[in-house]
Every structure is written in C-alpha cells, then in structure tokens.
Amino acid sequence: MTMLHLNAFLMGVGHHEAAWRLPESDPFAQTDVEHFTRLARIAERGKLDSLFLADSPVLWNSIGRRPGGTLEPTVLLTALAGATDHIGLIATASTTYNEPFNLARRFASLDHISGGRAGWNIVTTAGEQAARNFNLDHLPAHRDRYERAAEFIEVSLKLWDSWDDAAPLGDKDAGRWGDDDLLYPPEHSGRYFRVAGPLNVPRSPQGYPLLVQAGSSEDGKELAARYAEAVFTAQQTLAEGQAFYRDLKRRTAQLGRDPDTIKILPGIVPAIGATEAEARALEDELDRLIKPEYARQQLATTLRVAPEDLDLDKELPADLPSEDEIEGAKSRYTLIVTLARRERLTVRQLIGRLGGGRGHRTFAGTPEQVADAIEEWYRGGAADGFNIMPPVLPSGLETFVDHVVPILQRRGLFRTEYTGATLRDHYRLPRPANQFTRQLAAASR
Amino acid sequence: MTMLHLNAFLMGVGHHEAAWRLPESDPFAQTDVEHFTRLARIAERGKLDSLFLADSPVLWNSIGRRPGGTLEPTVLLTALAGATDHIGLIATASTTYNEPFNLARRFASLDHISGGRAGWNIVTTAGEQAARNFNLDHLPAHRDRYERAAEFIEVSLKLWDSWDDAAPLGDKDAGRWGDDDLLYPPEHSGRYFRVAGPLNVPRSPQGYPLLVQAGSSEDGKELAARYAEAVFTAQQTLAEGQAFYRDLKRRTAQLGRDPDTIKILPGIVPAIGATEAEARALEDELDRLIKPEYARQQLATTLRVAPEDLDLDKELPADLPSEDEIEGAKSRYTLIVTLARRERLTVRQLIGRLGGGRGHRTFAGTPEQVADAIEEWYRGGAADGFNIMPPVLPSGLETFVDHVVPILQRRGLFRTEYTGATLRDHYRLPRPANQFTRQLAAASR
C-alpha cells in the first residue's frame, strides 16, 4: 500500500497570527536559528517527508500586528541541513525577483550541502509592494509573471543539467580533473532571459531540487501540471479537495506525465487537544488574541475595498470584483470570498478563520479526530498527503508528531522509518535524468 | 599594543592550482561541506579573525585543468556558522549581478544566524563570461560597474538601517509586536536602483555585515576608502605593500574617516616546511604538477594576446595593452605584468608563480621564517594583518595554525583567545550606528 506524505510548514511561532501572544511563545523566534533547529528536529523525529518555509521579498505587514521580518529561506534551510539528517528542506523563492543563474546555483548548493534534500517552491510573488523593492512601480501582470516563471524554470533545468553526472573525473595521474566535453552550456536565449552557462556547480545529488508549486489560479495549475512534483493547496471541503485533485491529476496526464509524479498536499491547521473541548478552547484563546483592526485593513486590501466598507459584524459587501480583475494572488482572493459567502461569515468571523490559517482548512479535535480527517481526505481521493500548518510552534508540531503521527503509523498510513536518503526518495519520485545526456544518447542510437 | 589580524582564505583543496593532484587531496572536496567544516574548525582553533570565500557567478575555467564548480558562498557560510562559534565569515558577492534587496537580506540573515559574524566582500565581477549569464552580451564598463557598486552599497546600508534597533517590542499584553514608526523605508530612487523597503529582516547583531573590498584599481581604491572596513590586496614586495598601505590610509583619512577603521590585509601563500629545503620541495612538487597548456591559455586571455604569442621559455611580449585599455580586472592585470617584467620571468616561470597564488605573494620557509615575514610587513607599515592563502588545504592551514600562530602569539602579535563575540569585535571595529536613528536624533536636538 502506498503511504501518505507529510510536510511541516514552519512559520515563526505558528500559523495563527496571534500565536506570538501566548505565554509559551518567544516573540522574537522568527529570527532565531535555534527555534527553527528545534522545529526541524521535531519534524524529523516524526519521520515527516519535508519541512517548508514560505517567503516573499517584502515586509508582509504592519509590525504592530504580528512579528515581522524573516530569515531568507535558502540560507535558513542551509542551517537546518546541518542540524538534521533525513528530512527534506523546501524553500520558497520568486521567479519574478531573482535571476535564474543565481537561484539555480543556490538550490544546487543546498542540494549538495544537504545530501540531496533540497526543494524549491516556485512562486511568482503577488503584491505591489514587492515590485517596489525591485526597480518597478507596479506588479507585473499575472500572465506575464507566469510566462516568466515558465521560462525561469526552463533555464534553471538547463543549468542544473549543464553538467553531466559523469563530467567530474578527478584523474590525478593524468592531471585531468574533469571532461570539458561533458559540460552542456545552455546558451539560452528567450523572451525574459539570456543565459550562457554552464552553471558553476556540478550536478547535485538529486540532479536538481524537488519542484514544488502552490498557486491554484488557472495559470498556477497549468504551471504545476507541467513542472511541479509536489503541490501545496488550500482546500476547505472534501468535495473541493476532490475536485482540485482530479483536475490537477487530469491536467498532468494530458501533458503526457504520469499523474503519480505530482503529489497533492492540501494544507491543514490542526488545533489538537486531549479532548475536543480542549482543542476548541485553544482555538478560542487564539482567536480572542487577534486585534481585528489590523486584520480588517489587510482584508480590505486583498478585496480591493475601503476598510470602512467592511463592517466587523456584517457579511462582506455584495459588489466585490471578480477574480479576473485581480492581478495579485488570484486563487487566494477567490478562496476568501467563497469561504465567506458559503458559511455566511461576518467580517469578524472571517478574520478569525483567516487569522487561524489564512484560508487553509482549520480543524480542532483530538489526535484521533485529526488522524480521521487526514485519512478521510487521503482515502477519499482529495490528497496524496498533507501540508501540516500548526497554529502554534513548536508545541503544535510536537503534539502532531507525538500524538497524531503514531496513529497514522498504526493505521499503516505513514512510514515508521526513513527508507531513502533524498527528498525525492521520501516522495517516491525518481531522480530526474539529465536532459542533455538523454538527448545525446538518443542522437547516437 | 595592537595585534595583527589573520583571515583564512579558503579555496577548495588549496590555492595552488595543482593542489588537487597531491596524494593527500580529495579531488571532489570543493562541493563537500564536511571539508569546509573541517577547515573552519581548524581556523577557529587558531583564533583567526575570519575566514573568506571568493566567488564569481561563472564557471572559472576549463574543468580539465582543475576542480570546477563551487558552492554559493552565502549558503556555504551559513553551514559553517552552525559548525563554529567565534570565527568571522566573509563571502564574496557581486554588485553587478545581484539585486540589493535580495543580497542585503541574505547577509542580514547570515548575520542573525551566526550571531554577528557576517562579512561581505564587495566585488563588481570582471569577465565577459559572467555577463553572459545575466542577459548581457558584454561586460559593463569598469567605471559603470563601480558606480553601480557605490549605489548598491548605499541602498544596502539604507535597507540594513531600515529597522531601528528598538523597532521590535514583543509586547504581548498590548498585542503590539513592534513600533511601525521605527521602520525607515528608504524609498531609494537612483541611477541604477529604485528600492522602496523597508527590509524584511530586523536589524542584525552587527547592524550590518563587515564591508570588505579587494580590488586595487583606482576605482577600487576609491570605493574601499569610502566604504571598506577591511581590504584584501595582492602585494609582491615590502615597498609596494608600504606604498599601497600609505595610499589607502591617506585616501580614507581624506574622506573624513579614521584610517584605523580600514584594515589592510595583503595576501600571502605560505609553503611551510620543518626546514627551508622541505618548504621549497613542497613548492617544487606543486609546480611540477601544473599543466602549462591550460595556464598559458588563461594567461593569454588575461593579457589580451593569442596563446601562441606566449612562448613558454621566453619573457612576455613587449607590446602589451596598458591598464587603461583593460575593462576587466585592472589591478590584477597590472600586477601580473609588473611581476613578470621586474623579475624577468619566462612565461613558464610566471605560470608557476601565478599557479601558486594568482599574483599574491608566495613564500616558502619554516614556521619561524613565515612568522618573520609577517612581522616584518606588519611592523614595517605594510599591513594590519594578513590574508592567509594556504597552497594546500587542509594541511597548509593546519600547519599554519599549529606552527606559525603559536610563534605570533609568543611574540605578542596575535590573540590567544577570542575576546569579542562578533566579526567587528575581532577586527576592533565599533558596531555601526543606524543612520536614520542618528538623523532623527540630530533633528530633534
């Protein structure tokens, strides 16, 4: 039987925006490497496939509201590589605000340093403010960002394959370190990039990092179907999760890829208690600590309305823009509006739900109930695994690992030991062949 | 009495280009984090101020000739931060092929992760090939690269100062994590960059990384005098070293800076033996392992002549271009030509000298003689310390740390214990004040 996959999505002292206000939380943990080292070791103790750090090259929000400023993920993951032995390490990096040569090199370096445990969550970065940190006045159009992303990935794949696995020889006697004929400089020339290459890092243990994608817009799903090996997604109901899963597997198959080579991991924000009442009490305590004025401001920005148009004790206004008019994070916009309309939430209730998981599925219950919820989606064809987003860190991850993982293991749904060495091994994906080596072999047949 | 400073310049299995061919060398060490971890721990055992990784976003040379491909330095140094407790960590990064927001963030992250041990060697990156990895057909002009570098540094300084040290509050009771009024978004708009900010990392332990510079062209010296706190330089003779030292200290003073706040560190490639004969034998063994055909090709490229114009057994041709005509690494060009002419070296001899230290001063002798050479330059006003470039690694660093450092310590020239926590502490430099905090304080007086 195949097993499900589990990723630990690490974010400061937790995914709930008020987590930092709990007595147990260190409010300055988001820049403390020891905090992340501890989290990584807990996740590895639970035999999780991977851990993940989100990112955007911009200060997210008011620092009044919640902890601001985060360590750059490729750098932080390198520190975590040294503190762990098995767990995969996935970092978000933007195709809109990086150069392929530099980013491909950092991920190749991380893959070498971690012994083949690197993964790249490919994002195009929404938001006007990020654009203004990179010589632009406005965010490039959604379609342009995705076209650039596709070319960025193509260039990166060429750079990672620009060294044959057999290029390094180390022949001391002949004084010949490598075979220059086994370098394949891409000499890429496209709409967004011209990159000669080759990369200045030999091909890495995994060939290249696991490719991960997280946007669920039309453009995002097309990119995922083409390139992604794992997908993070926010789905609120089993039916929605099933529809997304079927759609993405179908798109992947239509492109001639084996649909098993793309792993779909919906997010879940589990508030776990010894009893259901205890779990709900934790959720309530966190929601009470949210300051609604900040959250209303952010919601208004996302919805493109004035903050004063959002009455905390009423539902959302009826006349909101359609997704087509949004150039930012399209799928996130639709998810928020759909959630609010379906459950007829007041703005205050919506803020509570978003503060808990930013649109991801929140779930309060006992370890048994959390395991049931995971198993239901997994067996129901809505997930190949889950993106675990503890509301409070480290305690929420510790509880998940110590109390939910053993249940999943007893049910035969999750590994009890690591059996492979690399991140792709954990996700049961093959090491990719070198595209140039393959072309040369085909040409010589 | 002040003491001298020592930096360990780490490069694969050594600075001598044939080091990888020695029986003791692992030819694949340049991508092995364990190798660098071992080197970092040796350097720290010797109480060295810092270690340093050079870099260029391009594959340097034929991989036939010598080991090719290196791990990206900010990532590798992060791994070394976790393996050490005291030593400073300096990485080269290019102002020509990076964006200030991304690079400033990575260095701030490294400074947080290492507890204030980060340093940035600022380079503008010579070479046509690097340009072709970044959407360009040709290397930008030397002057343009240096103007961009100056603006890049200004933007970076603003970003690092965009958080007041007092901005994070962590006030759980009031639900106020930070003070938004103590963020200072640069809103920089210049010739090369428009960057809104603020940075998305709180101000780091050192405020910002130690600023290091290594180019010795006119433009390079001007940049160093304005911004650098440490300078790596290649000087062949005591007289040249003294002239460079006086010149750079004078330029620094002329800009209103205390000349003690710029530390000048000439490179030295020490071949160390129990006897002088043993040291020379090591040098000879290494030189014999050089394959001159590769080296002649590279020398020809640097000198802008055809390889066949360089007769291995004759001196350099008389009609070489002047430094003004060189748009690449100007000071390196002049250094090579001056060295060859002064010592009337044949091309083969020049290749041996360059293969050993790429234009840096090579020195073969006993530990006592190496210590004498260091003391002579230090007391003679040619150096505040040295950039140690072992021809073979790890053995050359180990010998230096175990046999030369104790002599320098006995002479009272070098620390016997670390007395400070940060890289600036080691170089006896103050933590920089925040420019915006200072401006506000001045305005309110």
Side-chain angles (χ1 to χ4, degrees):
Chain A
M1 192 182 84
T2 62
M3 299 215 193
L4 60 81
H5 301 284
L6 294 173
N7 172 77
F9 182 171
L10 308 183
M11 178 170 281
V13 289
H15 284 270
H16 195 286
E17 75 161 87
W20 71 275
R21 296 185 66 190
L22 291 176
E24 72 183 70
S25 296
D26 170 6
F28 305 117
Q30 89 275 12
T31 51
D32 178 5
V33 68
E34 295 304 327
H35 171 71
F36 287 96
T37 296
R38 185 172 164 202
L39 296 178
R41 288 180 174 152
I42 295 168
E44 188 165 86
R45 191 172 86 212
K47 319 296 180 197
L48 268 58
D49 295 69
S50 50
L51 58 82
F52 164 60
L53 299 168
D55 197 53
S56 186
V58 67
L59 188 62
W60 294 100
N61 50 247
S62 154
I63 64 168
R65 177 178 177 185
R66 60 182 290 180
T70 50
L71 302 171
E72 196 280 328
T74 61
V75 161
L76 177 52
L77 286 192
T78 306
L80 300 185
T84 55
D85 295 314
H86 303 285
I87 195 162
L89 307 160
I90 303 172
T92 289
S94 171
T95 54
T96 304
Y97 304 119
N98 278 291
E99 287 289 330
F101 194 95
N102 288 337
L103 195 63
R105 183 166 181 226
R106 287 219 305 289
F107 275 108
S109 300
L110 177 59
D111 204 48
H112 277 288
I113 289 173
S114 63
R117 296 190 280 139
W120 173 27
N121 178 41
I122 304 158
V123 301
T124 66
T125 310
E128 219 42 37
Q129 268 306 115
R132 297 187 61 245
N133 289 333
F134 295 90
N135 306 325
L136 300 173
D137 291 320
H138 300 291
L139 178 65
H142 196 270
R143 174 51 59 97
D144 276 345
R145 296 206 313 277
Y146 274 87
E147 282 181 13
R148 179 179 160 113
E151 190 180 330
F152 195 114
I153 298 167
E154 288 292 342
V155 176
S156 301
L157 290 169
K158 289 179 190 175
L159 288 168
W160 288 318
D161 284 350
S162 65
W163 286 61
D164 198 290
D165 285 316
L169 303 169
D171 187 341
K172 292 180 181 182
D173 292 341
R176 185 160 171 252
W177 184 81
D179 184 345
D180 285 303
D181 291 337
L182 293 180
L183 297 179
Y184 313 119
E187 295 289 352
H188 174 91
S189 180
R191 177 166 163 204
Y192 294 91
F193 303 109
R194 282 181 300 135
V195 180
L199 196 62
N200 56 349
V201 185
R203 201 158 189 264
S204 68
Q206 290 192 107
Y208 50 85
L210 183 80
L211 301 182
V212 183
Q213 198 276 346
S216 299
S217 67
E218 272 304 304
D219 292 332
K221 282 188 283 195
E222 279 306 304
L223 194 82
R226 192 169 300 276
Y227 299 108
E229 299 168 277
V231 171
F232 298 141
T233 182
Q235 303 295 334
Q236 286 282 336
T237 66
L238 176 61
E240 282 169 5
Q242 288 164 330
F244 179 85
Y245 186 94
R246 274 195 307 269
D247 179 42
L248 195 50
K249 294 279 178 171
R250 182 185 54 77
R251 288 175 195 249
T252 303
Q254 275 176 351
L255 291 169
R257 292 180 59 197
D258 176 355
D260 279 350
T261 61
I262 185 167
K263 307 297 182 187
I264 298 175
L265 309 170
I268 183 169
V269 184
I272 308 170
T275 62
E276 199 177 321
E278 203 180 277
R280 291 211 184 282
L282 168 62
E283 232 181 16
D284 289 346
E285 183 184 2
L286 285 164
D287 286 351
R288 262 198 316 277
L289 291 172
I290 294 179
K291 306 255 282 190
E293 56 269 38
Y294 289 121
R296 186 169 72 158
Q297 172 69 51
Q298 190 184 36
L299 184 61
T301 304
T302 303
L303 299 180
R304 305 281 185 97
V305 299
E308 50 276 17
D309 291 342
L310 299 177
D311 187 323
L312 282 172
D313 296 308
K314 290 188 178 160
E315 292 185 40
L316 292 183
D319 53 334
L320 292 173
S322 75
E323 180 177 309
D324 291 346
E325 296 169 64
I326 302 294
E327 280 298 333
K330 280 178 186 283
S331 57
R332 179 164 166 70
Y333 172 82
T334 300
L335 185 147
I336 291 171
V337 175
T338 306
L339 170 66
R341 300 257 196 260
R342 184 180 54 231
E343 305 194 17
R344 306 205 60 174
L345 301 174
T346 65
V347 167
R348 191 186 303 275
Q349 288 169 325
L350 180 61
I351 283 171
R353 293 287 281 276
L354 296 177
R358 300 187 316 289
H360 285 268
R361 179 182 174 209
T362 54
F363 187 93
T366 63
E368 205 74 31
Q369 287 171 323
V370 172
D372 289 347
I374 285 175
E375 183 168 0
E376 183 192 14
W377 282 44
Y378 176 63
R379 293 201 188 273
D384 296 311
F386 285 85
N387 188 19
I388 308 300
M389 304 168 59
V392 184
L393 288 166
S395 64
L397 183 62
E398 210 146 31
T399 307
F400 185 87
V401 159
D402 293 341
H403 298 283
V404 180
V405 166
I407 297 171
L408 297 172
Q409 288 169 332
R410 277 200 300 275
R411 295 183 188 177
L413 292 169
F414 194 62
R415 73 172 66 80
T416 52
E417 286 302 335
Y418 290 104
T419 53
T422 72
L423 174 50
R424 274 202 187 78
D425 289 342
H426 304 337
Y427 280 103
R428 298 177 167 267
L429 294 164
R431 182 177 193 263
N434 185 315
Q435 61 182 309
F436 300 115
T437 312
R438 207 169 47 205
Q439 282 165 22
L440 287 172
S444 73
R445 264 201 299 270
Chain B
M1 192 183 84
T2 62
M3 301 216 191
L4 61 81
H5 301 283
L6 294 173
N7 174 74
F9 183 170
L10 308 184
M11 181 171 278
V13 289
H15 285 270
H16 195 288
E17 74 161 87
W20 70 276
R21 296 187 65 189
L22 291 177
E24 73 183 70
S25 296
D26 171 6
F28 305 116
Q30 90 276 11
T31 50
D32 179 6
V33 67
E34 295 304 327
H35 171 72
F36 288 96
T37 296
R38 185 172 164 201
L39 296 177
R41 287 179 175 153
I42 295 168
E44 188 165 89
R45 191 172 85 213
K47 318 294 178 198
L48 269 57
D49 296 70
S50 50
L51 59 83
F52 164 58
L53 299 168
D55 197 53
S56 187
V58 69
L59 188 61
W60 293 100
N61 50 246
S62 156
I63 64 167
R65 179 179 178 183
R66 63 181 290 184
T70 50
L71 301 170
E72 195 280 330
T74 61
V75 160
L76 177 53
L77 286 192
T78 305
L80 301 184
T84 55
D85 295 315
H86 303 284
I87 195 163
L89 306 160
I90 302 173
T92 289
S94 171
T95 54
T96 304
Y97 304 120
N98 277 291
E99 286 291 329
F101 194 94
N102 288 336
L103 194 64
R105 183 168 179 222
R106 287 220 304 289
F107 275 108
S109 299
L110 177 59
D111 204 48
H112 276 288
I113 288 173
S114 64
R117 298 189 279 139
W120 172 26
N121 179 40
I122 303 159
V123 301
T124 66
T125 310
E128 214 52 30
Q129 269 305 116
R132 297 188 61 245
N133 289 333
F134 295 92
N135 306 326
L136 300 173
D137 292 319
H138 300 291
L139 180 65
H142 196 269
R143 173 52 59 101
D144 276 345
R145 296 206 312 276
Y146 274 87
E147 282 181 12
R148 180 180 159 114
E151 189 180 330
F152 195 115
I153 299 167
E154 289 292 345
V155 175
S156 301
L157 290 168
K158 288 180 191 175
L159 287 169
W160 289 318
D161 285 351
S162 65
W163 286 62
D164 198 287
D165 285 315
L169 303 169
D171 187 341
K172 292 181 182 182
D173 291 342
R176 187 161 170 250
W177 184 79
D179 184 346
D180 285 302
D181 291 338
L182 294 179
L183 296 179
Y184 313 118
E187 295 288 350
H188 174 90
S189 180
R191 179 168 161 202
Y192 294 91
F193 303 108
R194 283 181 299 135
V195 180
L199 196 63
N200 54 349
V201 184
R203 201 159 189 264
S204 68
Q206 290 190 108
Y208 52 85
L210 183 79
L211 301 182
V212 182
Q213 200 275 347
S216 299
S217 66
E218 273 302 303
D219 292 331
K221 283 188 281 197
E222 280 305 306
L223 194 81
R226 194 168 297 276
Y227 299 108
E229 298 168 277
V231 172
F232 298 139
T233 182
Q235 303 294 334
Q236 286 281 339
T237 67
L238 177 60
E240 283 169 3
Q242 288 164 329
F244 179 85
Y245 187 95
R246 274 195 307 270
D247 178 42
L248 195 50
K249 295 276 181 176
R250 182 187 53 77
R251 289 175 195 249
T252 304
Q254 276 175 349
L255 290 169
R257 291 180 60 196
D258 176 353
D260 279 349
T261 61
I262 185 167
K263 308 297 182 188
I264 297 175
L265 310 170
I268 183 169
V269 183
I272 308 169
T275 64
E276 201 177 321
E278 202 180 279
R280 291 213 185 281
L282 169 62
E283 234 181 14
D284 290 346
E285 184 185 3
L286 284 165
D287 286 351
R288 262 199 315 277
L289 292 172
I290 294 180
K291 306 254 282 189
E293 55 269 40
Y294 289 122
R296 186 170 73 158
Q297 173 68 52
Q298 190 183 38
L299 184 61
T301 303
T302 304
L303 299 179
R304 302 281 184 100
V305 300
E308 51 277 14
D309 291 345
L310 299 178
D311 186 323
L312 282 170
D313 297 309
K314 291 188 177 159
E315 293 185 37
L316 291 183
D319 53 337
L320 292 172
S322 75
E323 179 176 310
D324 291 347
E325 296 170 63
I326 302 293
E327 280 298 336
K330 280 178 185 286
S331 56
R332 177 163 168 71
Y333 172 82
T334 299
L335 184 146
I336 291 171
V337 176
T338 307
L339 170 66
R341 301 256 194 260
R342 184 181 54 232
E343 305 193 20
R344 305 205 59 174
L345 301 174
T346 64
V347 168
R348 194 187 300 276
Q349 290 170 323
L350 180 60
I351 283 171
R353 292 286 283 274
L354 296 178
R358 300 188 315 288
H360 285 268
R361 179 184 176 208
T362 55
F363 187 92
T366 63
E368 205 75 30
Q369 287 170 322
V370 173
D372 289 347
I374 285 174
E375 182 166 2
E376 183 192 15
W377 281 42
Y378 176 64
R379 294 201 190 273
D384 296 311
F386 285 84
N387 188 19
I388 308 301
M389 302 167 60
V392 184
L393 288 165
S395 64
L397 183 62
E398 211 146 31
T399 307
F400 185 87
V401 159
D402 293 340
H403 299 282
V404 181
V405 165
I407 299 171
L408 297 172
Q409 288 170 331
R410 278 198 300 274
R411 295 183 188 178
L413 291 168
F414 194 63
R415 72 171 68 80
T416 52
E417 287 302 334
Y418 290 104
T419 53
T422 72
L423 174 52
R424 276 203 185 76
D425 288 343
H426 303 336
Y427 281 103
R428 296 178 169 269
L429 294 164
R431 183 177 192 265
N434 185 314
Q435 61 182 309
F436 299 115
T437 312
R438 208 169 48 209
Q439 281 167 22
L440 286 172
S444 72
R445 264 201 298 270

